[in-house]
Amino acid sequence: MKQFTSVADVADIKQLVDAALALKNNPYADQQLGKNKTLGLIFLNPSLRTRLSTQKAAINLGMSVIVMNMDKEGWALETQDGIVMNGTTVEHIREAAAVMGQYCDILGLRSFPKLINREEDYNEDFFNKFIAYCGVPVVSLESATRHPLQSLADLVTIKETWKGAAKPKVVLTWAPHVKALPQAVPNSFSEWMCKAQQEGMVDFTIAHPAGFELMEDFTPGATITHNLEEALNGADYVYVKNWSSYEEYGKVLPFPEGWMLTNDHLKNTNNAKVMHCLPVRRNLELSAEVLDGPHSLVIHEAGNRLWAAQAVLKDLLQDLT
Ligand code: CP
């Protein structure tokens, strides 16, 4: 693998999931692979899980890690070309990314959408320029439109915990929130589940209120419904996540009743396991009774972020030229 920014960068998702699970059983087998190699983790936004799990994954592989909170510690970056930089930006991404590539063998980058201009966010301008100028493989730590390390960990969790004979029914459900959140996690989860569905690993359904449709590019082959009860019927995994409207981009729409998952919602599921990428707002996005109860997989899922990151870094290290 030459970079990890979406499911499209992965030749074989089953193999990558199995690699992550193998690393979970044998975390320190590849310590020589990362010797004298440096991972740079560049954050323009906050993180708990992605930062710590990716750092730990690199340590397990024998790598050194440099972390930079670019939003607080770096120079204000310019991304536009042909501009006279006589405003507030101090350094152009052309130089900044290229310099980071001089110090690191692999770079991870987190850069959220601004949620003002949909076209700008969905063009992934910042991410693509960073990749173009840094000159080393890039791992997405969450971009404007995708969070592939999270989605890989989610698929690893489903593969690891599913004991049924048939394919599990996986349901992505919209949840309420008071802020306009990005579509990166649901886009990415959907993209990975659609690929997993094509590979015969899962059956995939998305449930959301009208007005919260995801961009169609991320949902090929998914069953999509506005009826939560119907979607949850027979579900084996329920993936809870808020996202803001793609159509009414960046707006906080009034949130509809009945979409916060409670134990009552789970009555007609197949004793479903409940997942969430975290952080989660208790009793707004997801009820405390579900989070604290036997259905919840959220801590196990967060733990698997480590093995997902380690599988990705191992693959990138093996392909370094
Ligand atoms: N799920 C996730 O990416 O968590 P962080 O934002 O804390 O990294």
Side-chain angles (χ1 to χ4, degrees):
M1 197 160 41
K2 297 294 180 194
Q3 62 175 18
F4 184 75
T5 62
S6 87
V7 73
D9 292 321
V10 182
D12 186 333
I13 59 168
K14 281 185 184 169
Q15 208 171 59
L16 192 60
V17 167
D18 288 344
L21 290 170
L23 287 165
K24 188 167 185 172
N25 283 322
N26 196 3
Y28 309 114
D30 304 296
Q31 291 232 312
Q32 286 304 310
L33 188 62
K35 193 171 176 335
N36 298 330
K37 296 281 188 275
T38 300
L39 173 69
L41 299 177
I42 312 300
F43 288 91
L44 282 90
N45 310 95
S47 171
L48 187 161
R49 282 143 289 271
T50 307
R51 177 173 173 155
L52 297 184
S53 62
T54 311
Q55 204 165 347
K56 173 71 174 146
I59 292 167
N60 285 357
L61 292 165
M63 299 183 83
S64 300
V65 189
I66 300 170
V67 182
M68 185 165 186
N69 297 310
M70 194 76 193
D71 54 330
K72 298 179 192 77
E73 299 160 353
W75 301 112
L77 287 185
E78 180 58 61
T79 57
Q80 282 189 54
D81 285 320
I83 191 170
V84 178
M85 286 173 55
N86 59 0
T88 54
T89 54
V90 178
E91 179 160 34
H92 202 280
I93 191 169
R94 283 177 178 261
E95 285 83 42
V99 169
M100 289 185 233
Q102 296 291 305
Y103 308 141
C104 300
D105 300 281
I106 299 173
L107 281 162
L109 177 65
R110 169 168 282 200
S111 174
F112 287 174
K114 294 190 178 72
L115 291 174
I116 297 166
N117 180 326
R118 186 174 82 183
E119 197 184 335
E120 201 173 285
D121 288 342
Y122 272 72
N123 279 344
E124 295 280 13
D125 186 54
F126 186 84
F127 237 82
N128 288 334
K129 284 183 172 154
F130 189 88
I131 290 168
Y133 302 134
C134 74
V136 297
V138 170
V139 179
S140 170
L141 306 174
E142 188 170 343
S143 71
T145 63
R146 291 181 171 90
H147 194 357
L149 281 177
Q150 179 67 54
S151 310
L152 173 58
D154 297 333
L155 187 55
V156 167
T157 305
I158 291 169
K159 172 86 192 288
E160 184 187 23
T161 56
W162 178 239
K163 305 297 177 209
K167 290 177 285 187
K169 178 179 178 181
V170 178
V171 182
L172 167 64
T173 69
W174 182 91
H177 208 286
V178 287
K179 291 177 72 179
L181 296 195
Q183 291 108 30
V185 169
N187 279 347
S188 201
F189 184 75
S190 178
E191 188 170 61
W192 280 73
M193 286 304 129
C194 288
K195 181 75 179 166
Q197 184 167 255
Q198 280 170 22
E199 306 263 330
M201 297 168 78
V202 300
D203 280 327
F204 182 50
T205 296
I206 305 173
H208 60 73
F212 289 90
E213 288 71 18
L214 294 169
M215 187 192 197
E216 281 181 10
D217 293 11
F218 294 94
T219 64
T223 301
I224 301 174
T225 175
H226 296 159
N227 187 329
L228 180 58
E229 198 180 328
E230 181 185 285
L232 293 176
N233 195 16
D236 298 297
Y237 292 88
V238 183
Y239 195 95
V240 177
K241 184 70 185 89
N242 169 266
W243 62 92
S244 58
S245 173
Y246 176 73
E247 274 310 311
E248 301 222 44
Y249 199 71
K251 289 190 184 158
V252 183
L253 303 182
F255 61 79
E257 291 293 311
W259 283 82
M260 185 189 71
L261 201 78
T262 60
N263 280 337
D264 198 45
H265 284 107
L266 297 172
K267 277 186 315 202
N268 293 328
T269 66
N270 184 26
N271 195 23
K273 293 296 181 194
V274 175
M275 302 173 70
H276 189 289
C277 64
L278 306 180
V280 64
R281 291 196 185 210
R282 284 174 166 251
N283 299 318
L284 172 68
E285 275 182 279
L286 184 50
S287 64
E289 66 178 14
V290 172
L291 275 167
D292 298 333
H295 292 281
S296 177
L297 264 189
V298 299
I299 304 302
H300 187 119
E301 179 185 359
N304 279 339
R305 292 292 308 273
L306 169 54
W307 315 113
Q310 195 166 329
V312 168
L313 290 175
K314 179 178 171 179
D315 198 314
L316 291 170
L317 282 168
Q318 283 169 329
D319 276 1
L320 278 184
T321 48

